[in-house]
Amino acid sequence: MERSIDKLIFLDHQSVSPVFKEALELFYHYSLEPFSPLSIHQLGIQSKKTLESALESFSSFIGCSPDELVFTGGIWEAIILGIEGFWRKNSLRGKHILTSPIEQKPILLLLDKLKREGAQLTLLPVDKEGMVDPKAIEELSTPQTILCCLQWVNPEIGTIQKIKEAAEICEKKSIAFFCDGSYAGGWIPIDLKKIPISLLAINPNQFNGPKGIGVLYIRQGIEIEPIIPGLNKELGLWGGTENMASIVAAAKAAEITTKIFKEKIEKIGYFQKLIWERISASIPMVSLNGPQLGPNRSIQNLNISPEFIGGEAQVLSCDMKGVLLSSGPSCVQKNLRISHVFKAVGLEYQKAMSSVRISLGITTTKEEIERFLDIYIGVVTKLREMSIGWKKFLSKKNSE
Amino acid sequence: MERSIDKLIFLDHQSVSPVFKEALELFYHYSLEPFSPLSIHQLGIQSKKTLESALESFSSFIGCSPDELVFTGGIWEAIILGIEGFWRKNSLRGKHILTSPIEQKPILLLLDKLKREGAQLTLLPVDKEGMVDPKAIEELSTPQTILCCLQWVNPEIGTIQKIKEAAEICEKKSIAFFCDGSYAGGWIPIDLKKIPISLLAINPNQFNGPKGIGVLYIRQGIEIEPIIPGLNKELGLWGGTENMASIVAAAKAAEITTKIFKEKIEKIGYFQKLIWERISASIPMVSLNGPQLGPNRSIQNLNISPEFIGGEAQVLSCDMKGVLLSSGPSCVQKNLRISHVFKAVGLEYQKAMSSVRISLGITTTKEEIERFLDIYIGVVTKLREMSIGWKKFLSKKNSE
């Protein structure tokens, strides 16, 4: 079953995304030579300049100032630094935290940990599409509320939250607003001059930067306690010596993304439409989980449930034909049959079990989409032929 | 002052070290394609296999089992996971922690943080060369002692601690033994089957692996609490999805290091001897800080004080001539004029102010060493000609 990667149709970009060659070449260069911006010799000074210019491009990518950025060893570290760092510094002012039930699992686990340390947690309600009504923040906050944690884009069902409204309500009520922007950076235009987010975590790999690096934006005036001692904010580091090669590569990915943004959004948005139109026209009894295509849904994400066949069976059958999909977000534990997101939006058990995620990315081509559609529709047809539930459904329908 | 890196003589390897090309090529490959060991499709399965084989080579590098390894986003994360993770899980059993005053600064800051949370700290005494007498562990431990944190190699003055003895005493007294092996991995043969270390942090960049990745060995039976929720120990991950490219690259660096170990140790040890012999013969009033060359000193490290001239002046003068040295460990804050290590070993103020560190690495050549010696001896001579202290010393000596 050895197959060259070139021939695979990779539609699992929200799990991991391929890194831009230009970014990797910079990583290579800055790793091969011993660059260290903390040294006082010429290579150190040159490194510091390079790092400063990388911080500059990264900050213009999201509309902030370079000294509002901290680079960490990965996206989870950035998220933890934001949430736990804020809690440690500010929990004397109040103990109440608002969040949504569809945040990424490790965030909910982290908040649970803070709960054991005295935090009070309130979950903002979500509707069937995973949307939080920002007004709920106003209604559910108390004078004790110090923080609201809300993701920008849900990686499972593609919901885009009303982040601007939510951030503005928090600002008005003097509540710090942490946003998990893991799946927003590079996919939604972000201008922090216009949205009063207090803390924003960004995952460079989601816009084809390297893995092993995360970014936390900390708005001027927001105080957090470093989780890793030795935080060097001046240089945008979260502790220890710099990971210069990764920072420079991440900044390059941000630069390229800015340059190609319009074209990328148009292309991927068009592919998403193409896929859903063909699937909804060709496959009976299929539903889209999460919001309809449009402003409330990430153009990267399609989560669909063709009823009466299992999600895992679809993923494995597609895999045999060279199409790589996902039957759940990559960070969800395998033993959780139904994800916490599906539970929170109240998706019926049958639909949850039959769901697959198709996630598009920069390398996706129209030719791939067309081949994928033929293969996928074939797989669903085949699996349904073997499905007892489907046969029962058909005969019930025919007898009606 | 633009100068090609090729012509620079880089003798600051304990700050950052150049990455093996073979390791970078793997990093490149596993970043360019979307490998993710958590996915269930074929690329996921292939990734899991690759990752498992990387864990296998890494574990044989230090003589442990693959499931005793956790990969983190950097060396500091590995250290914190080891110390703070152990504390969080075990502090109900006892509150007393032993450590040395010459641990790396962020470790001391971390222990200070734990002190504010109720830990009791005792510093093991060090002698003038930075050596801890392992018997002090026996004498200073109490029934409350749960942990002893001791570094293997000091990056500033090159002291190699008696880790085997220390670990054995801890084992006998049922005290967990955390070892900061940042500057030992790749430089000292490590066989964890023979040394009862409980927790060992390793920095792949110190043996020419990539930055942005750290490794924590957790001995079977030692329990820690994950700092980052979502720790997936089965796959050697500390949270979130895998940083596959870095893990594979780090394992390659470990493999190469094992292969060339004997030759590298002989070469660098010879260079160290060469440098110190020539410097001590050619420069009057120069002293070696830390242990004499031999089994108690890292072969990578020379920390010397030619009296009456400043360390920073030496570094900057050498820099103008293309030789890159350090006047302090890169993780020490610049505003600390005298490092905590020098204070702990009781180095005289004059000597501390005039110290420079020469740290050797895999790319160092004999030709570089010879050019360096000529340049460095010239720089010292020149700076002394301008030094009032030196002139006073000379005239005092002449009048005696």
Side-chain angles (χ1 to χ4, degrees):
Chain A
M1 239 198 37
E2 285 283 337
R3 192 182 275 115
S4 143
I5 295 168
D6 289 343
K7 290 187 194 133
L8 295 178
I9 301 173
F10 184 78
L11 296 174
D12 191 16
H13 284 267
Q14 286 185 314
S15 289
V16 59
S17 90
V19 180
F20 286 127
K21 271 195 180 153
E22 296 89 327
L24 281 174
E25 269 148 28
L26 284 176
F27 184 94
Y28 198 104
H29 174 71
Y30 284 100
S31 295
L32 202 58
E33 302 295 345
F35 287 99
S36 168
L38 295 179
S39 301
I40 61 169
H41 51 59
Q42 55 182 295
L43 218 48
I45 291 161
Q46 194 183 321
S47 305
K48 195 159 182 268
K49 275 187 199 154
T50 307
L51 192 58
E52 277 164 357
S53 116
L55 285 174
E56 201 69 58
S57 6
F58 209 96
S59 60
S60 75
F61 177 61
I62 53 173
C64 70
S65 134
D67 59 10
E68 290 174 314
L69 292 173
V70 171
F71 287 83
T72 68
I75 178 64
W76 290 116
E77 287 87 334
I79 287 172
I80 283 178
L81 182 59
I83 297 177
E84 189 167 345
F86 183 84
W87 166 258
R88 300 235 169 279
K89 190 75 181 184
N90 297 279
S91 61
L92 288 179
R93 290 198 292 112
K95 305 277 183 214
H96 188 229
I97 299 175
L98 291 169
T99 191
S100 92
I102 63 167
E103 299 302 300
Q104 296 195 72
K105 198 74 199 173
I107 292 188
L108 294 174
L109 291 173
L110 171 62
L111 290 171
D112 260 349
K113 184 181 113 175
L114 299 188
K115 213 168 149 184
R116 292 194 295 276
E117 293 180 22
Q120 289 136 17
L121 221 60
T122 300
L123 294 180
L124 300 161
V126 290
D127 68 14
K128 280 195 166 273
E129 296 181 347
M131 289 297 287
V132 168
D133 180 353
K135 288 194 194 73
I137 297 172
E138 204 144 12
E139 287 153 20
L140 293 170
S141 65
T142 74
Q144 287 296 307
T145 312
I146 54 168
L147 181 65
C148 174
C149 299
L150 187 59
Q151 71 189 179
W152 205 316
V153 173
N154 184 282
E156 200 167 338
I157 55 172
T159 317
I160 301 177
Q161 301 295 342
K162 291 179 176 130
I163 291 301
K164 189 163 189 283
E165 252 182 276
E168 282 168 357
I169 290 172
C170 286
E171 189 187 30
K172 205 178 69 186
K173 305 209 63 137
S174 300
I175 298 167
F177 184 69
F178 171 89
C179 179
D180 167 15
S182 305
Y183 297 89
W187 293 96
I188 288 177
I190 299 180
D191 185 353
L192 291 165
K193 286 188 292 299
K194 294 188 183 148
I195 310 181
I197 292 173
S198 316
L199 298 152
L200 175 68
I202 296 275
N203 182 0
N205 181 246
Q206 276 300 313
F207 46 92
N208 314 98
K211 287 195 66 92
I213 182 162
V215 188
L216 180 67
Y217 156 81
I218 308 171
R219 185 174 290 274
Q220 197 86 47
I222 296 290
E223 289 194 12
I224 64 164
E225 185 156 312
I227 303 293
I228 305 266
L231 181 89
N232 182 346
K233 186 115 188 316
E234 187 210 344
L235 277 173
L237 306 171
W238 100 308
T241 52
E242 73 308 328
N243 180 0
M244 166 112 183
S246 294
I247 296 177
V248 172
K252 174 53 79 180
E255 257 177 53
I256 299 175
T257 299
T258 306
K259 213 181 298 167
I260 61 168
F261 192 74
K262 202 169 157 268
E263 180 196 341
K264 160 174 149 177
I265 296 303
E266 276 171 11
K267 182 182 90 167
I268 306 289
Y270 166 66
F271 290 164
Q272 185 193 38
K273 222 171 135 235
L274 210 64
I275 295 173
W276 180 234
E277 278 175 3
R278 173 95 184 271
I279 284 181
S280 56
S282 316
I283 301 178
M285 299 295 287
V286 64
S287 52
L288 182 66
N289 305 313
Q292 290 308 304
L293 307 202
N296 293 343
R297 181 170 197 119
S298 166
I299 53 165
Q300 253 200 303
N301 175 294
L302 281 165
N303 189 312
I304 58 174
S305 292
E307 283 181 66
F308 304 105
I309 52 176
E312 207 164 289
Q314 295 170 63
V315 170
L316 296 175
S317 304
C318 282
D319 184 37
M320 308 256 277
K321 297 182 183 298
V323 170
L324 310 189
L325 305 175
S326 156
S327 63
S330 58
C331 48
V332 164
Q333 282 164 12
K334 291 281 176 286
N335 53 356
L336 284 178
R337 299 300 300 262
I338 304 283
S339 80
H340 69 290
V341 174
F342 282 157
K343 278 189 188 147
V345 299
L347 192 70
E348 300 90 306
Y349 180 80
Q350 280 303 341
K351 285 191 179 174
M353 290 306 290
S354 67
S355 87
V356 293
R357 183 183 70 178
I358 301 149
S359 60
L360 312 172
I362 187 81
T363 53
T364 309
T365 64
K366 191 169 177 199
E367 190 263 328
E368 279 184 340
I369 295 297
E370 279 161 0
R371 267 169 55 218
F372 154 70
L373 282 166
D374 291 342
I375 291 169
Y376 183 69
I377 292 166
V379 160
V380 169
T381 309
K382 195 105 187 178
L383 287 174
R384 280 194 171 161
E385 280 167 12
M386 300 187 293
S387 157
I388 297 171
W390 177 246
K391 279 179 201 154
K392 277 190 191 159
F393 169 78
L394 280 188
S395 64
K396 197 176 155 208
K397 203 178 150 200
N398 288 342
S399 69
E400 273 167 13
Chain B
M1 241 200 33
E2 284 284 338
R3 193 182 274 115
S4 141
I5 296 168
D6 290 343
K7 290 188 192 131
L8 295 177
I9 301 172
F10 184 77
L11 296 173
D12 192 16
H13 285 266
Q14 287 184 314
S15 288
V16 60
S17 90
V19 180
F20 287 127
K21 270 193 182 155
E22 295 90 328
L24 281 174
E25 270 147 27
L26 283 176
F27 184 94
Y28 199 104
H29 174 72
Y30 284 100
S31 295
L32 202 57
E33 302 295 346
F35 288 99
S36 168
L38 294 180
S39 301
I40 61 170
H41 51 59
Q42 57 183 293
L43 218 49
I45 291 160
Q46 193 183 322
S47 305
K48 194 158 184 270
K49 275 189 199 153
T50 307
L51 192 58
E52 277 164 358
S53 116
L55 285 174
E56 201 69 58
S57 11
F58 209 96
S59 60
S60 76
F61 178 60
I62 54 173
C64 70
S65 133
D67 59 10
E68 291 175 313
L69 292 173
V70 171
F71 287 83
T72 68
I75 177 65
W76 290 115
E77 286 87 336
I79 288 171
I80 283 178
L81 181 60
I83 298 176
E84 189 168 342
F86 183 85
W87 166 257
R88 300 235 168 278
K89 190 77 182 184
N90 297 280
S91 60
L92 287 179
R93 290 198 292 113
K95 306 277 184 213
H96 188 230
I97 299 174
L98 290 168
T99 191
S100 93
I102 64 166
E103 299 302 299
Q104 296 196 71
K105 198 74 199 173
I107 292 189
L108 296 174
L109 290 173
L110 171 63
L111 290 171
D112 260 348
K113 186 181 112 174
L114 299 187
K115 212 167 149 183
R116 292 194 296 277
E117 294 180 22
Q120 288 136 19
L121 222 60
T122 300
L123 294 180
L124 300 162
V126 290
D127 69 14
K128 280 191 167 278
E129 295 180 348
M131 289 297 287
V132 168
D133 181 353
K135 288 194 193 71
I137 296 173
E138 203 143 15
E139 287 153 19
L140 293 170
S141 65
T142 75
Q144 287 296 305
T145 311
I146 53 168
L147 181 66
C148 174
C149 299
L150 187 59
Q151 70 190 180
W152 205 316
V153 174
N154 184 282
E156 199 166 340
I157 56 171
T159 315
I160 300 177
Q161 300 296 342
K162 292 178 174 129
I163 291 302
K164 187 163 190 282
E165 251 183 275
E168 282 167 356
I169 290 172
C170 285
E171 189 187 30
K172 204 178 69 186
K173 304 208 62 133
S174 301
I175 298 167
F177 185 68
F178 171 89
C179 180
D180 168 15
S182 305
Y183 297 89
W187 292 96
I188 288 176
I190 298 180
D191 185 353
L192 290 166
K193 286 188 292 296
K194 293 186 183 148
I195 309 180
I197 292 172
S198 317
L199 298 151
L200 175 67
I202 297 274
N203 182 0
N205 182 245
Q206 277 300 313
F207 46 92
N208 314 98
K211 286 195 66 92
I213 182 161
V215 188
L216 179 67
Y217 156 81
I218 308 171
R219 184 174 291 273
Q220 198 85 45
I222 296 289
E223 289 194 12
I224 64 164
E225 185 157 314
I227 304 293
I228 304 266
L231 180 89
N232 181 346
K233 187 120 185 315
E234 186 209 346
L235 277 172
L237 305 172
W238 101 307
T241 49
E242 73 308 328
N243 180 0
M244 164 115 184
S246 294
I247 296 177
V248 172
K252 174 54 79 180
E255 258 177 52
I256 299 175
T257 300
T258 305
K259 212 181 297 169
I260 61 168
F261 192 75
K262 200 168 159 270
E263 178 195 342
K264 160 174 148 176
I265 296 303
E266 274 171 16
K267 182 183 90 166
I268 306 289
Y270 165 65
F271 290 164
Q272 185 193 40
K273 220 169 137 236
L274 210 66
I275 295 173
W276 180 234
E277 277 175 5
R278 172 96 185 271
I279 285 181
S280 55
S282 316
I283 301 177
M285 299 295 288
V286 65
S287 52
L288 181 67
N289 305 313
Q292 290 307 303
L293 308 201
N296 293 341
R297 182 171 198 119
S298 165
I299 55 166
Q300 253 200 305
N301 174 294
L302 282 163
N303 189 311
I304 59 174
S305 292
E307 284 181 64
F308 304 109
I309 54 174
E312 205 164 291
Q314 295 170 64
V315 170
L316 295 175
S317 303
C318 283
D319 184 38
M320 308 255 278
K321 296 181 185 298
V323 170
L324 310 189
L325 305 176
S326 156
S327 63
S330 57
C331 48
V332 164
Q333 282 165 12
K334 290 281 175 285
N335 54 357
L336 285 177
R337 298 301 299 262
I338 305 283
S339 81
H340 69 289
V341 175
F342 282 157
K343 279 190 187 147
V345 299
L347 192 70
E348 301 90 305
Y349 180 79
Q350 280 304 339
K351 285 189 179 173
M353 290 305 290
S354 66
S355 87
V356 292
R357 181 183 70 178
I358 301 149
S359 60
L360 312 171
I362 187 80
T363 53
T364 309
T365 64
K366 191 169 178 203
E367 191 264 328
E368 280 184 339
I369 296 297
E370 277 160 1
R371 269 168 56 217
F372 155 70
L373 283 166
D374 291 344
I375 290 169
Y376 182 69
I377 293 165
V379 159
V380 169
T381 310
K382 196 104 186 180
L383 288 173
R384 280 195 171 160
E385 278 167 15
M386 301 186 293
S387 156
I388 297 170
W390 178 246
K391 279 178 199 153
K392 276 189 190 158
F393 169 79
L394 281 187
S395 65
K396 195 176 156 207
K397 200 177 152 201
N398 289 341
S399 69
E400 273 169 12

